[in-house]
Amino acid sequence: MTNLHTSIKTLSFILMAIITHSVNAQQCDHVVKLGLVADWPPLTYFDKDEAKGLDIEIAKMVFSSIDVCVDYVRLPSSARALGQMERGDIDVAVMVSYTNERAKYGYFSKPYRNETMRLFSYSQAQPIANLRQLLDQQKTIGLSIGSFYGEELQQLTGDSRYQPQLVQISSADRRAEMLIKKRVDFIVDDLITGLYMMKTKGYKNINAWPYIVHDNQVHFLIRKSSENKEVLAKVNKAIEVLGPKIDALVAQFTKSGPN
């Protein structure tokens, strides 16, 4: 009797697993691997094993609305995410600025939010004409590895005179730490990240400079394939439909930081 009871119980578990798998499969028309920088709060990060952040919440909103399931892949930097997409290891990257080079291996979705890159420092904000002015004063600037900050910084990073002063740093927390320890004079980050640092980390003495480093729209970048081209069309439609909800979520982070 015990063996029969055990067998029935085991069979029940197997049937439940099959049913659960079947239900989950029916909920997903497609599964994509989304690579995200694991330490860029409040935009993308992991809380234990759960993917979180503004751009992740937007991704969840968009992909769930089109019945596409997402597997999150933890990555150390933007450069790694884009490199893995180019090799075909991931399907989607978030908060990607348009460049011709990236368009060679990925489809750019419609833009889903604006990105506002600013200088942050301990020194009081002052009017400057350009970033070269700071570099000529022997100032150092911390940047995210693999991020695109606009034409001005792209040209400066290509100038051998300034390369030692433009310090590549993997994570947002590490960039803030480097600034606090005065290992760099400035960092460049999204204004939302800067507000987050000041609010949650207690970095009240950090100042945002008004100089516009780079303002642009960001997109989902989707790896080129025939299957993903269909996903792109659905994503673009979802961005249009969900536009007001996305804008409201961005405003929440911009004004007061995440809840």
Side-chain angles (χ1 to χ4, degrees):
M1 179 65 74
T2 302
N3 290 338
L4 178 60
H5 178 75
T6 302
S7 298
I8 292 172
K9 191 175 180 180
T10 302
L11 181 59
S12 297
F13 278 126
I14 293 171
L15 288 172
M16 284 298 296
I18 292 171
I19 291 168
T20 301
H21 176 77
S22 178
V23 169
N24 289 338
Q26 289 171 4
Q27 291 174 346
C28 299
D29 289 340
H30 187 59
V31 179
V32 295
K33 290 183 179 180
L34 189 153
L36 65 103
V37 180
D39 191 13
W40 199 328
L43 305 177
T44 63
Y45 64 99
F46 277 92
D47 182 1
K48 297 180 181 177
D49 290 326
E50 184 180 357
K52 289 189 174 182
L54 170 58
D55 290 84
I56 296 306
E57 293 308 311
I58 294 172
K60 289 177 181 178
M61 195 186 304
V62 168
F63 285 100
S64 65
S65 74
I66 60 174
D67 297 326
V68 171
C69 290
V70 178
D71 286 337
Y72 297 100
V73 180
R74 185 190 298 252
L75 298 171
S77 67
S78 297
R80 182 70 64 84
L82 296 170
Q84 289 214 4
M85 177 172 290
E86 192 170 11
R87 292 192 297 272
D89 295 332
I90 63 170
D91 298 293
V92 181
V94 297
M95 61 178 184
V96 182
S97 301
Y98 181 89
T99 69
N100 290 331
E101 181 62 29
R102 294 169 180 175
K104 292 177 182 178
Y105 54 85
Y107 304 119
F108 277 88
S109 74
K110 290 180 179 293
Y112 63 82
R113 75 171 176 89
N114 291 320
E115 185 176 68
T116 306
M117 289 293 181
R118 294 292 182 270
L119 288 162
F120 294 89
S121 75
Y122 269 121
S123 57
Q124 289 296 319
Q126 300 174 13
I128 57 172
N130 51 53
L131 295 175
R132 190 184 300 269
Q133 181 180 331
L134 297 176
L135 296 173
D136 286 341
Q137 295 171 10
Q138 301 307 306
K139 302 297 184 183
T140 53
I141 303 175
L143 306 172
S144 166
I145 298 173
S147 291
F148 178 71
Y149 291 102
E151 295 299 330
E152 181 182 13
L153 264 174
Q154 188 173 43
Q155 289 178 9
L156 290 171
T157 54
D159 190 325
S160 59
R161 292 174 297 172
Y162 300 122
Q163 285 174 357
Q165 296 167 253
L166 297 169
V167 184
Q168 304 291 316
I169 307 169
S170 59
S171 72
D173 280 347
R174 180 63 177 155
R175 286 191 293 279
E177 181 184 343
M178 292 279 282
L179 181 62
I180 291 161
K181 292 181 177 179
K182 298 184 179 180
R183 293 179 181 172
V184 293
D185 299 301
F186 295 87
I187 58 173
V188 176
D189 236 310
D190 191 298
L191 188 58
I192 295 173
T193 300
L195 292 172
Y196 175 84
M197 286 192 299
M198 287 182 263
K199 178 183 177 183
T200 66
K201 302 286 188 178
Y203 304 154
K204 295 181 180 178
N205 294 325
I206 294 178
N207 300 297
W209 286 46
Y211 181 77
I212 299 173
V213 175
H214 186 50
D215 285 356
N216 76 139
Q217 297 174 312
V218 295
H219 316 250
F220 296 109
L221 184 63
I222 302 173
R223 182 177 58 84
K224 286 187 173 180
S225 73
S226 57
E227 195 170 26
N228 285 345
K229 195 164 189 178
E230 295 179 9
V231 173
L232 172 69
K234 293 179 181 179
V235 165
N236 284 339
K237 182 63 177 177
I239 290 171
E240 289 180 11
V241 172
L242 295 169
K245 289 184 178 180
I246 293 172
D247 291 343
L249 183 60
V250 173
Q252 176 185 324
F253 275 70
T254 304
K255 290 176 183 177
S256 58
N259 291 328

